[in-house]
């Protein structure tokens, strides 16, 4: 789909606009960008032939051994890098080079050619200024303060400080391909059927996994000789259930490769993605692999299967990126540290009003957070002309960027409807949000919000979906800052009129159900302070105090 291309160009343009708007453009052709996580500035000469592209000052090693600064040289010359105390002379050739005092240790962090620095070259955790020079002339300078632990500074990323081991991805689009769109609880067999009969590979990414049927399919695939790998979140909100621990025990005993993402230095606040790679097909869900989700026993959820090797390969690359760093631990090693909790399973039964739709989609694009989903969805919403349908359990705040884009769409005449949950834990905040939106849009006829209670069609809203004209977006992304900026989330954007109409029909049925309650935007209600505030926590596992950002499932 054309609207999801040219990402690199837009990112560079966005950075330039932000720099100009913030007054960061400085004389002499350089730019200086400051960031909240470990303040940093960057100045480059106009038309420079070399640049500092990465700094890793604070690895989690004794004496920070392995710290380095990476430079990219476009032409040979007399190049040097200095921290003011030590200097490294770079090879007289083009390419990328990692300047370090400890080349062997640095090789465990980067594949870039290491260049050993002499003298007292050392990257101070409390702050440093690094200079790249050619023939003694300053070409590039990077300064930082208080380098965050186990994070790397990257030149062309926003924010510049990002967890080590995280490599942002661009969206990847596959052309015309067969897809199956389905919804839950109407089609509980679809997710299991999508992962069945794997012969070569079966990678399953999960926030939680308690479905016995799914575990049986994983073990059966392993017994057939397929490579079976599972990655789960090691510390879900509310703790890991006793049932999930038993399911993972069984998988590991059967020989499947099971990992948990965990630890205070994890690259993502939560591994919240829900997808599978099955040979040359892929399935992406809004639901967890458990009875209330894929089992069809409670949640309204959306899902899609894609029969395209390119899409499967791209998701396989995401899985390998996430499952092969030092924040993922084998279940056999992690098991002894897990304290489980007893949690009830859903046992509801619902009508099957919407059978799956199989068709050929015009294109499918893989989106991931925190890599690219924000700007891609904002662009999608900005280009919407006629209809914008949004289903979410809740939305973090009235100034959430995707919601602001939706309100701008309503202002220009797009029919915008937002369907939210009405459970005990989100009803008040959703009511308050509707009132806030009404104040900002002055009761626009183009913006309507309802709270859905299911009325026999489902137990609760858990889907995270968008229909924007003829594009549908299906995935794990909750509309809050934590999900967008900190979690690992995966979604597919399917550009096809039939697929968009399928999800729109489901949306319309849920919208018009007797169990929905329309919220008259514009009527003032008191905003609950706890719902609108953000509780900051230093520890990763305490990040669920704020209800809008809490990852329940």
């Amino acid at each position: 789909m054309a609207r999801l291309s040219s990402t690199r160009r837009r990112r560079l343009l966005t950075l330039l606009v932000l720099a100009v708007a913030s007054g960061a453009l400085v004389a002499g052709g350089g730019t200086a960008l400051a960031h909240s996580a470990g303040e940093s500035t960057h100045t480059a000469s106009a038309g420079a032939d070399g640049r500092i592209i990465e700094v890793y000052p604070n690895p989690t090693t004794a004496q920070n051994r392995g710290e380095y600064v990476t430079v990219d040289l476009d032409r040979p010359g007399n190049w040097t890098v200095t921290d003011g105390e030590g200097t490294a002379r770079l090879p007289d050739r083009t390419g990328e080079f990692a300047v370090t005092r400890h080349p062997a240790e640095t090789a465990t962090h980067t594949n870039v050619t290491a260049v050993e620095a002499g003298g007292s070259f050392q990257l101070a955790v409390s702050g440093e200024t690094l200079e790249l020079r050619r023939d003694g002339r300053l070409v590039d300078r990077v300064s930082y303060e208080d380098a965050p632990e186990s994070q790397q500074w990257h030149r062309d990323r926003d924010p510049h400080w990002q967890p080590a081991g995280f490599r942002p991805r661009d969206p990847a689009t596959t052309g015309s391909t067969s897809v199956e769109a389905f919804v839950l609880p109407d089609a509980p067999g679809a997710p299991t059927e999508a992962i069945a009969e794997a012969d070569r590979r079966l990678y399953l990414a999960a926030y939680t996994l308690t479905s016995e049927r799914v575990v049986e399919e994983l073990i059966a695939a392993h017994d057939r000789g397929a490579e079976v790998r599972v990655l789960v979140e090691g510390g879900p909100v509310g703790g890991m259930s006793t049932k999930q621990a038993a399911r993972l025990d069984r998988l590991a005993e059967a020989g499947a490769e099971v990992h948990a993402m965990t630890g205070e230095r994890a690259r993502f606040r939560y591994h919240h993605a829900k997808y599978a790679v099955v040979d040359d097909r892929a399935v992406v869900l809004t639901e967890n692999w458990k009875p209330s989700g894929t089992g069809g026993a409670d949640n309204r959820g959306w899902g899609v299967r894609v029969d395209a090797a390119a899409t499967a390969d791209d998701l396989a690359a995401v899985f390998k990126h996430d499952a092969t760093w030092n924040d993922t631990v084998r279940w056999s090693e992690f098991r002894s540290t897990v304290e489980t909790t007893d949690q009830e399973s859903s046992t509801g039964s619902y009508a099957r009003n919407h059978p799956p739709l199989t068709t050929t989609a015009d294109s499918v694009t893989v989106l991931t957070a925190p890599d690219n989903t924000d700007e891609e969805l904002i662009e999608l919403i900005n280009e919407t002309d006629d209809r914008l349908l949004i289903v979410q359990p809740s939305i973090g705040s009235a100034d959430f960027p995707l919601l602001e884009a939706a309100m701008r769409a309503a202002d220009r005449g797009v029919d915008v409807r937002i369907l939210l949950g009405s459970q005990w834990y989100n009803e008040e905040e959703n009511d308050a949000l509707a009132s806030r939106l009404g104040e900002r849009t002055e009761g626009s006829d183009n913006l309507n919000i309802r709270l859905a209670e299911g009325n026999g069609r489902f137990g609760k809203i858990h889907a995270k979906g968008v229909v924007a004209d003829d594009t549908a977006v299906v995935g794990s992304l909750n509309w809050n800052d934590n999900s967008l900026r900190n979690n690992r989330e995966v979604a597919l954007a399917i550009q096809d009129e039939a697929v968009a109409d399928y999800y729109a029909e489901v949306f319309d049925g849920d919208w018009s159900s007797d169990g929905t309650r329309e919220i008259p935007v514009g009527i003032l209600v008191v905003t609950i302070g706890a719902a609108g505030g953000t509780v900051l926590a230093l520890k990763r596992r305490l990040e669920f105090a704020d209800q809008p950002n809490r990852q329940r499932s």
Side-chain angles (χ1 to χ4, degrees):
M1 59 196 276
R3 60 169 58 102
L4 292 172
S5 62
S6 305
T7 302
R8 294 181 185 274
R9 185 170 63 255
R10 291 196 307 275
R11 283 179 177 168
L12 292 175
L13 178 60
T14 300
L15 288 173
L16 178 60
V17 170
L18 289 173
V20 174
S22 63
L25 201 62
V26 298
T31 59
L33 302 178
H35 307 276
S36 58
E39 289 293 318
S40 63
T41 59
H42 173 233
T43 303
S45 300
D49 298 315
R51 63 206 59 80
I52 297 171
I53 60 173
E54 186 175 85
V55 183
Y56 190 25
N58 195 5
T60 55
T61 56
Q63 291 84 46
N64 291 333
R65 294 179 66 87
E67 62 185 15
Y68 65 89
V69 52
T70 301
V71 301
D72 184 13
L73 306 181
D74 290 339
R75 65 167 177 160
N78 180 24
W79 292 96
T80 58
V81 174
T82 180
D83 64 351
E85 297 181 6
T87 299
R89 187 171 300 280
L90 300 171
D92 185 14
R93 63 179 189 271
T94 62
E96 293 185 8
F97 304 96
V99 179
T100 175
R101 289 195 305 148
H102 313 107
E105 288 84 352
T106 294
T108 66
H109 302 298
T110 178
N111 293 325
V112 174
T113 301
V115 174
E116 188 168 2
S120 302
F121 187 93
Q122 187 171 2
L123 305 183
V125 172
S126 59
E128 194 69 86
T129 296
L130 300 164
E131 294 185 348
L132 174 66
R133 294 177 175 272
R134 187 175 190 275
D135 295 327
R137 178 179 59 86
L138 178 65
V139 174
D140 197 9
R141 177 190 290 121
V142 169
S143 298
Y144 63 85
E145 299 176 4
D146 300 323
E149 187 177 56
S150 193
Q151 293 201 27
Q152 296 165 329
W153 182 94
H154 298 274
R155 176 189 180 93
D156 290 328
R157 298 184 193 168
D158 186 17
H160 282 241
W161 288 103
Q162 295 186 350
F166 172 60
R167 294 293 180 268
R169 302 179 60 83
D170 288 331
T173 299
T174 301
S176 178
T177 185
S178 175
V179 301
E180 180 186 68
F182 59 89
V183 294
L184 298 157
D186 303 58
T192 309
E193 292 168 3
I195 67 171
E197 300 180 0
D199 294 319
R200 182 165 50 88
R201 61 181 178 182
L202 176 48
Y203 305 157
L204 188 137
Y207 179 66
T208 55
L209 167 60
T210 62
S211 169
E212 184 176 3
R213 290 184 62 195
V214 171
V215 169
E216 288 175 351
E217 290 293 350
L218 290 164
I219 293 175
H222 175 269
D223 291 343
R224 287 193 301 272
E227 179 190 13
V228 177
R229 303 174 65 182
V230 176
L231 177 61
V232 302
E233 165 58 42
V237 171
M240 184 173 293
S241 71
T242 302
K243 182 174 291 186
Q244 171 163 304
R247 299 284 190 262
L248 299 181
D249 285 343
R250 185 181 171 202
L251 280 170
E253 290 167 1
E257 183 180 319
V258 182
H259 282 81
M261 181 173 288
T262 186
E264 295 178 1
R265 301 185 183 94
R267 290 162 292 173
F268 310 110
R269 183 93 11 99
Y270 293 103
H271 180 263
H272 193 244
K274 312 152 198 319
Y275 65 91
V277 177
V278 191
D279 293 342
D280 288 336
R281 59 187 183 275
V283 57
V284 172
L285 303 159
T286 68
E287 302 312 295
N288 292 298
W289 304 93
K290 63 182 188 178
S292 63
T294 57
D298 192 16
N299 299 348
R300 164 62 80 217
W302 294 7
V304 62
R305 189 197 74 212
V306 179
D307 297 327
T311 301
D313 287 345
D314 196 69
L315 281 175
V318 174
F319 186 94
K320 291 177 180 178
H321 170 277
D322 294 350
T324 56
W325 202 62
N326 58 23
D327 57 355
T328 58
V329 183
R330 281 190 177 272
W331 175 249
S332 57
E333 301 172 10
F334 182 56
R335 181 67 173 90
S336 63
T337 68
V338 175
E339 295 183 5
T340 62
T341 61
D342 291 329
Q343 300 174 14
E344 294 184 3
S345 296
S346 298
T347 58
S349 179
Y350 300 92
R352 301 187 179 183
N353 299 312
H354 303 283
L357 168 72
T358 300
T359 188
T360 299
D362 296 335
S363 68
V364 175
T365 299
V366 177
L367 303 176
T368 51
D371 317 54
N372 54 59
T373 303
D374 52 352
E375 62 186 35
E376 298 298 337
L377 290 187
I378 288 174
E379 182 177 356
L380 176 66
I381 294 171
N382 287 345
E383 293 184 357
T384 301
D385 297 319
D386 300 316
R387 63 178 176 183
L388 180 61
L389 313 178
I390 301 163
V391 57
Q392 283 281 327
S394 62
I395 297 178
S397 65
D399 58 0
F400 182 65
L402 299 184
L403 182 58
E404 289 188 326
M407 289 188 290
R408 292 194 299 270
D411 290 340
R412 63 176 185 270
V414 177
D415 174 24
V416 179
R417 287 184 288 158
I418 303 175
L419 188 62
L420 302 174
S422 60
Q423 298 303 112
W424 62 268
Y425 51 78
N426 58 25
E427 184 174 16
E428 283 188 329
E429 68 192 48
N430 288 342
D431 281 341
L433 175 67
S435 174
R436 290 278 304 278
L437 297 186
E439 294 175 40
R440 294 175 64 171
T441 59
E442 298 181 354
S444 169
D445 293 336
N446 297 319
L447 176 65
N448 294 281
I449 304 174
R450 289 188 179 182
L451 273 60
E453 297 177 353
N455 195 33
R457 298 168 62 90
F458 52 85
K460 65 176 180 291
I461 290 288
H462 190 260
K464 311 105 170 51
V466 174
V467 175
D469 290 341
D470 292 337
T471 297
V473 181
V474 179
S476 61
L477 182 76
N478 287 302
W479 277 31
N480 62 58
D481 287 331
N482 187 51
S483 186
L484 190 66
R485 308 294 185 189
N486 300 323
N487 289 354
R488 166 56 88 210
E489 310 283 2
V490 168
L492 295 183
I494 307 104
Q495 187 176 33
D496 183 78
E497 182 178 3
V499 172
D501 287 346
Y502 172 82
Y503 291 115
E505 180 182 354
V506 176
F507 185 97
D508 288 342
D510 296 344
W511 181 270
S512 59
S513 168
D514 292 339
T516 59
R517 176 164 55 86
E518 187 156 13
I519 306 299
V521 294
I523 298 177
L524 178 64
V525 298
V526 177
T527 301
I528 307 301
T534 300
V535 180
L536 298 179
L538 294 178
K539 299 294 184 182
R540 177 176 182 245
R541 300 306 171 201
L542 300 180
E543 183 61 26
F544 56 83
D546 178 37
Q547 292 283 7
N549 288 343
R550 180 173 176 175
Q551 301 300 331
R552 298 181 177 275
S553 55

